[in-house]
C-alpha cells in the first residue's frame, strides 16, 4: 500500500484551490476547510466574518511517488498571487491569505527555500508574502463547499474566478493533469 502525504494550502477562496488541485495526477483527495484560527469547529459564516483567524484552505492528499511536494508548491505559487497580503482579487481578509501549513520539517524547509528563491529572483515583481506556518487542527468545511466548482460550474463566481485558474493549470501543467 502506498504511503500518502498531505499538503495544506491557502490561496484565497478554497473553491479555487480545491478545483485546481483536483486536476493533478497523484492527488487522491482534496478537501476544503479551515486552519490557523483560534476557535474550534468554525463555520463558513464565522470564518468569512474574518474574526476567527482561520484561513480558507484545501487539504491535499497526494502520492509522493507520483507528484512531489515541490511540484505541488510550484502549482500553488503559479495559480494565485502570493504577493498580496490578506487578499486574492475581490476576496479580502485574513481568511483569504496566502499560506502554506507545513506538515513536517521537510515541507517547511522546501516552502521556505522556494519562497526565498522566488523573492531573490523577483519572480512576481513584488515580494512574496505567503505565510509559512505549522499545520494545526484542520476543520472540514460544510458539505456545500466540497467539490464546489464541479457541482456549480455555471455559478458566476465559478465562471469568472475559478474556471480561469482551472484553465491555467490545465495549460501550464498539462503534463501533470489526470
Amino acid at each position: 500500500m502506498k504511503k500518502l502525504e498531505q499538503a495544506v494550502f491557502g490561496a484565497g477562496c478554497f473553491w479555487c484551490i480545491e478545483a485546481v488541485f483536483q486536476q493533478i495526477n497523484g492527488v487522491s483527495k482534496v478537501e476544503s476547510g479551515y486552519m490557523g484560527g483560534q476557535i474550534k469547529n468554525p463555520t463558513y459564516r464565522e470564518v468569512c466574518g474574518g474574526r476567527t483567524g482561520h484561513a480558507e484552505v484545501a487539504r491535499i492528499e497526494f502520492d509522493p511517488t507520483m507528484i512531489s511536494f515541490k511540484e505541488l508548491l510550484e502549482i500553488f505559487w503559479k495559480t494565485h498571487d502570493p504577493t498580496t497580503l490578506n487578499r486574492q482579487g475581490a476576496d479580502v481578509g485574513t481568511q483569504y491569505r496566502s499560506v502554506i501549513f507545513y506538515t513536517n520539517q521537510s515541507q517547511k524547509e522546501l516552502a521556505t527555500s522556494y519562497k526565498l528563491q522566488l523573492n531573490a529572483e523577483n519572480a512576481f515583481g513584488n515580494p512574496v508574502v505567503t505565510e509559512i506556518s505549522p499545520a494545526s487542527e484542520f476543520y472540514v468545511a460544510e458539505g456545500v463547499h466540497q467539490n464546489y466548482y464541479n457541482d456549480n460550474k455555471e455559478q458566476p463566481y465559478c465562471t469568472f474566478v475559478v474556471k480561469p485558474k482551472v484553465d491555467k493549470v490545465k495549460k501550464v501543467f498539462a503534463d501533470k493533469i489526470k
Side-chain angles (χ1 to χ4, degrees):
M1 184 168 177
K2 293 180 183 177
K3 171 111 172 69
L4 299 178
E5 294 184 17
Q6 290 185 351
V8 182
F9 298 134
C13 176
F14 50 29
W15 299 337
C16 296
I17 312 162
E18 177 189 66
V20 162
F21 285 97
Q22 284 176 329
Q23 309 298 315
I24 305 302
N25 192 29
V27 170
S28 59
K29 184 177 182 182
V30 183
E31 285 182 293
S32 290
Y34 318 108
M35 188 176 279
Q38 298 90 17
I39 69 168
K40 292 192 177 294
N41 302 309
T43 65
Y44 181 71
R45 182 177 298 270
E46 290 171 328
V47 173
C48 284
R51 293 180 302 276
T52 70
H54 291 89
E56 288 192 13
V57 297
R59 181 170 62 181
I60 301 154
E61 199 168 90
F62 67 99
D63 179 346
T65 67
M66 295 177 71
I67 188 153
S68 69
F69 181 72
K70 187 172 183 178
E71 290 171 303
L72 293 176
L73 282 173
E74 181 182 8
I75 295 165
F76 166 80
W77 297 117
K78 290 185 178 175
T79 54
H80 81 293
D81 182 353
T83 69
T84 56
L85 186 63
N86 300 329
R87 83 174 298 149
Q88 286 298 304
D91 295 326
V92 180
T94 57
Q95 67 271 29
Y96 300 115
R97 66 190 180 270
S98 176
V99 58
I100 299 163
F101 287 108
Y102 59 86
T103 62
N104 59 46
Q105 188 63 26
S106 174
Q107 286 186 0
K108 177 184 180 182
E109 290 168 6
L110 279 168
T112 302
S113 65
Y114 206 143
K115 179 180 173 180
L116 288 170
Q117 178 186 346
L118 290 171
N119 281 333
E121 295 170 356
N122 196 28
F124 293 100
N126 288 307
V128 172
V129 297
T130 302
E131 173 187 326
I132 300 171
S133 295
S136 56
E137 185 149 4
F138 176 79
Y139 298 98
V140 177
E142 298 83 346
V144 68
H145 300 294
Q146 305 303 323
N147 205 40
Y148 191 85
Y149 173 71
N150 294 319
D151 293 343
N152 299 279
K153 288 184 179 175
E154 302 307 315
Q155 196 256 19
Y157 189 90
C158 291
T159 301
F160 297 109
V161 180
V162 184
K163 186 179 185 313
K165 291 176 185 271
V166 170
D167 291 346
K168 179 179 182 178
V169 82
K170 286 180 177 177
K171 180 179 178 187
V172 175
F173 298 102
D175 61 325
K176 293 177 179 29
I177 299 299
K178 290 181 181 174

